[in-house]
Amino acid sequence: MDLSIIVPIYNVEEYLAECLKSLYKISTLKYEVILVNDGSKDNSFKIMEEFKNLYPNKTVIVNKENGGLSSARNAGLKVAKGRYISFIDSDDFIDTDEFEKFVIEGIKGRLDIVVGNMRYYIPGKIGEPLFRSKKIKDLETTDGVNFLWNLFQAPKCYREEVVDDVYRRNFLLKNNLFFNEEIVHEDSEFTTLAYLRAKKVKYIDKAFYFYRQREGSIMNKVSEKSIISLEKICEKLFLECKNIDSKNGKEALADLILSFYSTVVYKRYNGNNDYQRVYKRYKELHKELKKYTKANFEQKLLSFSIFIPNTLRKLLGKEISNVQKVPKF
């Protein structure tokens, strides 16, 4: 089997059929669709059964108690049989033709990670492809550390979503790459760790994924768990940075950690909640990591003052607060 498509499902009856229709149009690949019912309480399971009846040989249903996105993806990964794994969110959908071409190219290249592209979507409006770096588009197949390093070269274009990527299943299993069920922002950790362990990575310029922007898909107010999760991810990546031998790997991780942790600092500072502790930790991280990277002007400025860069961001309309912004496109 070429591909296992894992679809975590929780209370998405309004969007699920559109998502699944786009997946079952696939015709040039041998594939399975693993529908993970993560304790849905609406009609999502009924829709899953309808598609199971329509495509009995291509559908696997996994029922489980609600455990969140990471738990659902892991449950699907544990039963997957395909050579490659795709993670598709149940309120989004794909351009089937582009997706097939994307996967086939990845299979032919025997890649560990096939990196793709996405567009934001609302009914009646489709955004431009989000990934626009010519440097990455022109980059030939390389190892994951070098790919990650290139993502942080000007123009920086690091993206963490897994839904527009495809992974070789044996690569994930060999490296014990599952999603961390104790955090949110799971893609931020998973994607980075996958790059650090991959031997063959390539960007394929196919914007096949349509990322729906909708009310209720993200909470308006950033949760405490969200901020704590980002802190934990930074600390885990800091250990990776200390242990990795590659100079480029250290530089890329240093850039990423300082970027992530500066977000933690701003969110704490603007939320009037425990910012002194995280600011102290930011300065410690900056002192340790600046030996691996030049750091940008804002990161250097932030190591001396929160007030000044935060005020500049406010004036420029780029404030990072504890309120989640919906992307404009």
Side-chain angles (χ1 to χ4, degrees), residues 168-214:
R168 189 168 62 84
R169 181 169 64 92
N170 285 345
F171 158 72
L172 295 180
L173 298 179
K174 180 180 178 181
N175 289 280
N176 197 32
L177 285 167
F178 290 88
F179 292 88
N180 187 340
E181 298 182 20
E182 302 301 317
I183 62 172
V184 293
H185 297 300
E186 55 278 309
D187 288 10
S188 300
E189 180 178 291
F190 181 91
T191 297
T192 308
L193 295 178
Y195 282 147
L196 295 180
R197 288 148 178 71
K199 302 300 183 186
K200 296 182 70 176
V201 180
K202 191 176 190 300
Y203 172 80
I204 308 296
D205 196 20
K206 301 291 183 185
F208 64 85
Y209 195 88
F210 293 87
Y211 182 13
R212 189 187 303 271
Q213 304 300 297
R214 64 183 180 91

Side-chain angles (χ1 to χ4, degrees), residues 109-115 136 139-151 171 191-203 244-250 252:
R110 298 182 179 181
L111 302 176
D112 291 329
I113 307 174
V114 196
V115 181
I136 295 298
L139 187 66
E140 294 299 320
T141 301
T142 185
D143 63 83
V145 171
N146 188 52
F147 189 88
L148 181 63
W149 180 80
N150 274 278
L151 290 173
F171 158 72
T191 297
T192 308
L193 295 178
Y195 282 147
L196 295 180
R197 288 148 178 71
K199 302 300 183 186
K200 296 182 70 176
V201 180
K202 191 176 190 300
Y203 172 80
I244 195 170
D245 292 329
S246 165
K247 178 182 176 183
N248 284 355
K250 286 183 180 295

Side-chain angles (χ1 to χ4, degrees), residues 221-238:
K221 189 170 181 62
V222 175
S223 69
E224 178 68 11
K225 186 174 182 179
S226 171
I227 303 175
I228 292 174
S229 294
L230 201 49
E231 289 185 57
K232 289 181 177 179
I233 291 167
C234 288
E235 297 297 346
K236 187 166 186 175
L237 296 182
F238 182 58

Side-chain angles (χ1 to χ4, degrees), residues 266 270 310 313-321 323 325:
Y266 286 130
N270 290 305
N310 191 68
R313 278 191 165 271
K314 282 184 178 181
L315 294 173
L316 294 172
K318 297 181 179 180
E319 179 184 10
I320 298 177
S321 69
V323 176
K325 295 180 180 179

Side-chain angles (χ1 to χ4, degrees), residues 102-146:
F102 170 79
V103 174
I104 289 170
E105 192 166 342
I107 292 174
K108 286 180 178 178
R110 298 182 179 181
L111 302 176
D112 291 329
I113 307 174
V114 196
V115 181
N117 208 346
M118 66 165 61
R119 305 169 187 260
Y120 288 136
Y121 166 83
I122 58 174
K125 186 175 181 180
I126 299 173
E128 292 297 316
L130 296 183
F131 205 93
R132 299 169 187 159
S133 169
K134 188 175 186 302
K135 184 178 184 68
I136 295 298
K137 290 181 180 181
D138 292 342
L139 187 66
E140 294 299 320
T141 301
T142 185
D143 63 83
V145 171
N146 188 52

